[in-house]
């Protein structure tokens, strides 16, 4: 049995030379005496020491080798957490489209607003009393009253924005489970994407905390952020919208097809992952996939609305009935093809260009744009 140098050193540590020699000598004497008593003239008795040495030495080496192997396995298991690394697939230039974060300083505040709901709920703060002529204070200006200050409120907040990258949107036929437990083969539209946190969050800054007058915007960064996505595919031909649907049976197939060697998240479990801050252009980021089913196979012009990349929002008006609009990344796509063999059709990123101004204006109207843009940020 052949052992390398490290194994031989380990054998010497486990079985010292003197102890191993003593065990071999005792075993040889015992076997030789037994053989002579049974057959004194036997050649086996005369050379029994040789067979005994080989037999005992072989078993000792085997036992020692197993001990060394088990010990090496334990050491490897103990250090596996430190030695293992995660290697991701490096794609060729142009395969992954990167959309840089676009935070806007104007998104850090709203106002001035009139908090009419508070004024209506507390009429006692008004100056409509007979003690003050023209309902104004005696010495201070009217703008210093609480009622007037509630009409000029500026709400400030901190905003962040994540970097979004994606591979070309593709189609695949998969078996989708139905409510009755059976499987149904359907055409699935999917988009594999990556998110990274670059830092650079924006927030209003006060030069003097005792006099909170916000005259500048400062940039801050944190160790990590989380991503709570919602992907909506909007068909510009029919006006229908399709929300991303979670398909556990599709994750492995898509990961193999798109050569994603790391874990691929859906739109729910990706929110449990902390996205670390990084400035490295080769940082792996966190990968996810959005899937849509029951989309018209004759789809030509459509967009994907990506919500959750930023916490910026707008409110139309005031009160409970005033709707909130979230900032979304709008990705425009078009697919020249038909319903025959849709998986072989290539989905192109951006708005197609036409030489005819009339056709171009008609197409831009479908996308809701005034000019050709591959992507844009919008409040929806």
């Amino acid at each position: 049995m052949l052992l390398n140098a490290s194994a031989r050193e380990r054998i010497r540590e486990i079985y010292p030379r003197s102890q191993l020699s003593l065990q071999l000598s005792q075993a040889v004497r015992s076997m030789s005496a037994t053989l002579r008593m049974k057959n004194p003239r036997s050649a086996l008795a005369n050379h029994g020491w040789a067979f005994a040495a080989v037999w005992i030495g072989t078993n000792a080496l085997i036992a020692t080798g197993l001990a060394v192997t088990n010990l090496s396995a334990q050491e490897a298991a103990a250090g596996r957490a430190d030695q293992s690394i995660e290697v991701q697939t490096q794609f060729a230039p142009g395969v992954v489209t990167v959309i840089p974060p676009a935070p806007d300083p104007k998104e850090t505040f709203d106002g001035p607003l009139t908090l009419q709901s508070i004024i209506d709920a507390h009429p006692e703060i008004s100056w409509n009393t007979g003690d003050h002529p023209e309902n104004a204070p005696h010495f201070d200006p009217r703008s210093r009253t609480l009622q007037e200050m509630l009409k000029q409120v500026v709400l400030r907040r901190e905003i962040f924005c994540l970097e979004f990258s994606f591979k070309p949107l593709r189609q695949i036929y998969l078996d989708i489970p139905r409510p009755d437990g059976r499987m149904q083969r359907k055409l699935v539209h999917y988009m594999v994407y990556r998110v990274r946190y670059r830092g650079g969050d924006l927030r209003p800054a006060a030069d003097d905390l005792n006099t909170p007058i916000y005259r500048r915007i400062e940039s801050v960064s944190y160790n990590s952020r989380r991503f709570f996505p919602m992907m909506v595919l909007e068909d510009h031909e029919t006006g229908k919208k399709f929300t991303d649907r979670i398909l556990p049976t599709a994750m492995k197939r898509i990961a193999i097809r798109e050569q994603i060697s790391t874990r691929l998240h859906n739109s729910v479990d990706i929110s449990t992952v902390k996205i670390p801050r990084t400035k490295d252009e080769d940082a792996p980021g966190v990968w996810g996939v959005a899937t849509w089913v029951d989309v018209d196979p004759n789809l030509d012009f459509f967009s994907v609305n990506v919500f959750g990349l930023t916490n910026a929002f707008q409110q139309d008006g005031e009160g409970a009935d005033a709707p909130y609009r979230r900032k979304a990344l709008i990705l425009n796509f078009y697919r020249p093809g038909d319903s025959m063999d849709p998986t072989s059709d290539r989905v192109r990123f951006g708005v197609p260009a036409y030489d005819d101004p009339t056709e171009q204006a008609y197409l831009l109207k479908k996308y809701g744009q005034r000019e050709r843009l591959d992507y844009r940020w919008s409040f929806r």
Side-chain angles (χ1 to χ4, degrees), residues 184-253:
Q184 181 180 3
R185 195 165 185 80
K186 287 188 175 183
L187 180 65
V188 178
H189 293 68
Y190 72 89
M191 182 178 65
V192 175
Y193 62 88
R194 179 192 67 191
V195 288
R196 295 189 296 191
Y197 174 50
R198 296 295 196 175
D201 304 346
L202 300 180
R203 69 180 181 186
D207 296 328
D208 186 3
L209 296 179
N210 297 324
T211 306
I213 299 178
Y214 301 90
R215 296 180 178 177
R216 61 185 179 90
I217 302 296
E218 65 180 2
S219 177
V220 295
S221 299
Y222 299 92
N223 293 331
S224 63
R225 284 286 188 181
R226 292 183 185 268
F227 180 43
F228 298 88
M230 186 178 73
M231 310 283 189
V232 180
L233 189 148
E234 182 178 0
D235 185 356
H236 297 301
E237 292 289 336
T238 62
K240 295 182 179 180
K241 297 181 180 181
F242 304 88
T243 305
D244 171 28
R245 180 176 171 182
I246 298 176
L247 302 176
T249 58
M251 303 297 291
K252 187 175 181 180
R253 286 279 305 276

Side-chain angles (χ1 to χ4, degrees), residues 322-353:
Y324 281 91
R325 297 185 299 165
R326 293 176 296 171
K327 188 177 181 180
L329 174 63
I330 313 300
L331 304 174
N332 298 321
F333 297 93
Y334 73 100
R335 183 184 70 92
D338 50 26
S339 59
M340 300 299 295
D341 194 14
T343 56
S344 62
D345 294 336
R346 178 185 174 187
V347 179
R348 292 173 169 81
F349 174 55
V351 178

Side-chain angles (χ1 to χ4, degrees), residues 121-356:
H122 300 277
E124 65 275 9
I125 65 176
S126 64
W127 286 78
N128 296 328
T129 61
D131 298 336
H132 299 83
E134 298 182 358
N135 299 322
H138 292 297
F139 303 103
D140 291 335
R142 185 188 296 270
S143 60
R144 295 293 298 168
T145 62
L146 185 58
Q147 184 178 12
E148 294 297 327
M149 293 174 64
L150 286 174
K151 297 179 181 180
Q152 301 179 11
V153 177
V154 178
L155 302 179
R156 305 182 186 274
R157 56 182 174 271
E158 180 179 307
I159 63 168
F160 69 91
C161 192
L162 302 176
E163 178 194 86
F164 186 81
S165 309
F166 63 95
K167 294 192 67 180
L169 194 145
R170 303 179 69 182
Q171 304 169 84
I172 187 175
Y173 280 103
L174 295 173
D175 294 330
I176 306 300
R178 302 191 309 182
D180 58 1
R182 298 183 179 182
M183 305 297 288
Q184 181 180 3
R185 195 165 185 80
K186 287 188 175 183
L187 180 65
V188 178
H189 293 68
Y190 72 89
M191 182 178 65
V192 175
Y193 62 88
R194 179 192 67 191
V195 288
R196 295 189 296 191
Y197 174 50
R198 296 295 196 175
D201 304 346
L202 300 180
R203 69 180 181 186
D207 296 328
D208 186 3
L209 296 179
N210 297 324
T211 306
I213 299 178
Y214 301 90
R215 296 180 178 177
R216 61 185 179 90
I217 302 296
E218 65 180 2
S219 177
V220 295
S221 299
Y222 299 92
N223 293 331
S224 63
R225 284 286 188 181
R226 292 183 185 268
F227 180 43
F228 298 88
M230 186 178 73
M231 310 283 189
V232 180
L233 189 148
E234 182 178 0
D235 185 356
H236 297 301
E237 292 289 336
T238 62
K240 295 182 179 180
K241 297 181 180 181
F242 304 88
T243 305
D244 171 28
R245 180 176 171 182
I246 298 176
L247 302 176
T249 58
M251 303 297 291
K252 187 175 181 180
R253 286 279 305 276
I254 295 176
I256 294 175
R257 187 185 187 190
E258 299 296 332
Q259 300 180 1
I260 304 299
S261 57
T262 186
R263 181 180 177 183
L264 195 61
H265 300 272
N266 57 40
S267 297
V268 173
D269 61 19
I270 196 174
S271 61
T272 63
V273 180
K274 292 183 178 180
I275 304 174
R277 177 172 58 88
T278 179
K279 294 294 185 180
D280 186 6
E281 294 296 334
D282 297 327
V286 179
W287 286 86
V289 60
T291 52
W292 301 273
V293 295
D294 299 328
V295 181
D296 188 358
N298 294 312
L299 185 70
D300 290 328
F301 309 109
F302 64 98
S303 299
V304 174
N305 304 330
V306 184
F307 295 90
L309 293 173
T310 177
N311 61 336
F313 66 91
Q314 288 181 352
Q315 186 181 15
D316 297 334
E318 182 190 354
D321 297 334
Y324 281 91
R325 297 185 299 165
R326 293 176 296 171
K327 188 177 181 180
L329 174 63
I330 313 300
L331 304 174
N332 298 321
F333 297 93
Y334 73 100
R335 183 184 70 92
D338 50 26
S339 59
M340 300 299 295
D341 194 14
T343 56
S344 62
D345 294 336
R346 178 185 174 187
V347 179
R348 292 173 169 81
F349 174 55
V351 178
Y354 289 96
D355 295 333
D356 188 356

